[in-house]
Each structure stands twice: as C-alpha cells, then as structure tokens.
Amino acid sequence: MKKLSAMSKVYLLFVFAILYAPIFYLIFYSFNSGGSMNNFESFTLEHYAAVFDDSRLIIILLNTVLVALLSGLIATIIGTLGAVGIVSLKDKKMRNTLLSLNNVLIVSPDVVIGASFLILFTMIGVKLGFASVLVSHIAFSVPIVVLMVLPKLLEMNTSLIDAARDLGATKRDVLTRVILPYISPGIFAGFFMALTYSLDDFAVTFFVTGNGFSTLSVEIYSMARAGISLTINAISGLVFAVTVLIVIGYYFINKGSKSVATGGQR
C-alpha cells in the first residue's frame, strides 16, 4: 500500500479532530461535579451513578438495545436472502431495478421514512410502540444489509457453486455450506451496521414511537429540551463506549473470518 504524504496525514488528523472533538468535549464534562459545561470544577462519577439509579432510564436503555439487536438480526436474515436473490437473477434489467430501489431507500431522508411509517401504521390501525419501532427499524436496516452483503457475493467465484453441485450438493447445501460461509464477513458487517443505525436513529423513531415506549435517542432529545443536564453527557458517553466496543468486536470477528478464509496466511 502506498504511504500517505505528510500533507495527507495532517489533513486526516484535522478531519478526525473536527469529528471527535465535540464527542470528547461532551464526555469530558460528564465527569464534572458542577452542573454546567462552562467550568470544570472537579472529577466525579455522580452523573453516571444518576443514570444507573434512574430505573426508567435503564428500562429505556434496555428497550433501545433490544430493538437494536432484534431489528439487526431480522434485517440481516432478510437482507442476506434478498442479496442472494438479487444476485441470482438472470434478468439484468430486473436486477438493476431492484438495486436502484434498494439504493433509493438508503438515500431517502429519515423524516420521509418516519412520516411514511406513521401514516401507514395509522391507516392499518397498528398501535404505536415497540412493534411499530421494531418494524420501522427492520425496514430501514434491510437495504443497508443488502448493500454490505452484495460485494462479497459479486466477488465470489461461481465455480465454487458449480463444483458443489457437481459433487451432489442440493440447493440448501450450496446455500448453507458454500455461499453463507464465504459471505460471512459481509453478513457480520451488515449486522453491525444495522445495529449501530438502530441504536442512534432518532428521526424515524420519533415518528413511530408511542406513549409508554421510548428509545434512548428520543429520551435524550426530550431531556435536552427540558434543560441541559450532565446526565445526558453521561448517557452519551456510555453509548459511545458501547459503540466503540461493538466496532472493536466487529474488527476482531472480521479479522478472524479473513484468517480462516486464507488458512492463516498473511
């Protein structure tokens, strides 16, 4: 790989500093014993303790994680099967049409998606709450999973499938023993992307959540409207830490998958 020039490194450092500075600023004041973000008085963990002492906040946090895990898992199954179906289409026009429709959903504004689901649930009489949030999160996560799995499917050598069929493998064997193991890095990437998209989604959730059910992003928005509280900083710090752990976990899983695929060769 070509080494980056000094100017490129400075530019990248500048970009990352802009991206991460607000987050670290917010986390830094989560340890402030004062009640504002103006002056750092002394180190304290009282704001984190306040988060764990608030049972309602813990329930909301568990709801958020549950929705993220379920929507990520279901979207990964649907998206993976959808990607396999799209690639297996022989009609190129139909394949390109489906890919375009998939991309349209990705670039559609969250406000439009949220409003559309709100109208749909209202029309068919679905009560807003856990189910409506879960369904909408699955819906906007499926196109992301399709986009993450497709590259692995397209780079796969079709001679592997032909060889498996020649050896007597059924369609199910080809799918479960040849295709899925090969594209597993893309599947894991799709799952983690869906998970993180669900965790930090606000716009869509804001439209489809009802009374008695909320996710962390909506709750933080409500708390921020009521006034600045360093408890928000503590929650945001915890979410950021969990997200970093997820990314690290994905890195090691992806590294392990590549190591298995190459037989440990570098």
Side-chain angles (χ1 to χ4, degrees), residues 50-190:
V51 172
F52 290 104
D53 287 340
D54 191 338
S55 58
R56 180 176 172 275
L57 209 52
I58 295 298
I59 292 173
I60 291 172
L61 180 62
L62 292 176
N63 286 339
T64 306
V65 173
L66 181 62
V67 168
L69 287 174
L70 281 177
S71 64
L73 182 63
I74 298 172
T76 301
I77 295 171
I78 298 174
T80 301
L81 294 177
V84 172
I86 290 173
V87 171
S88 63
L89 283 175
K90 294 181 180 178
D91 188 342
K92 288 187 177 179
K93 189 175 180 181
M94 177 63 74
R95 183 193 297 182
N96 291 332
T97 302
L98 291 176
L99 287 174
S100 299
L101 290 173
N102 185 73
N103 293 336
V104 167
L105 288 174
I106 290 177
V107 299
S108 296
D110 286 349
V111 174
V112 174
I113 296 175
S116 303
F117 273 111
L118 176 61
I119 295 170
L120 174 66
F121 291 140
T122 305
M123 286 177 61
I124 61 178
V126 173
K127 186 180 179 182
L128 299 182
F130 175 79
S132 59
V133 173
L134 179 63
V135 170
S136 57
H137 279 216
I138 293 170
F140 70 66
S141 297
V142 168
I144 299 166
V145 176
V146 171
L147 209 61
M148 300 302 289
V149 175
L150 269 177
K152 295 300 295 181
L153 282 169
L154 293 175
E155 75 177 29
M156 184 177 179
N157 192 340
T158 54
S159 61
L160 290 173
I161 299 175
D162 295 335
R165 286 174 177 165
D166 291 342
L167 292 172
T170 62
K171 288 184 178 179
R172 182 179 177 181
D173 292 333
V174 170
L175 178 64
T176 57
R177 298 188 179 186
V178 179
I179 297 177
L180 290 181
Y182 187 87
I183 64 173
S184 58
I187 295 174
F188 281 119

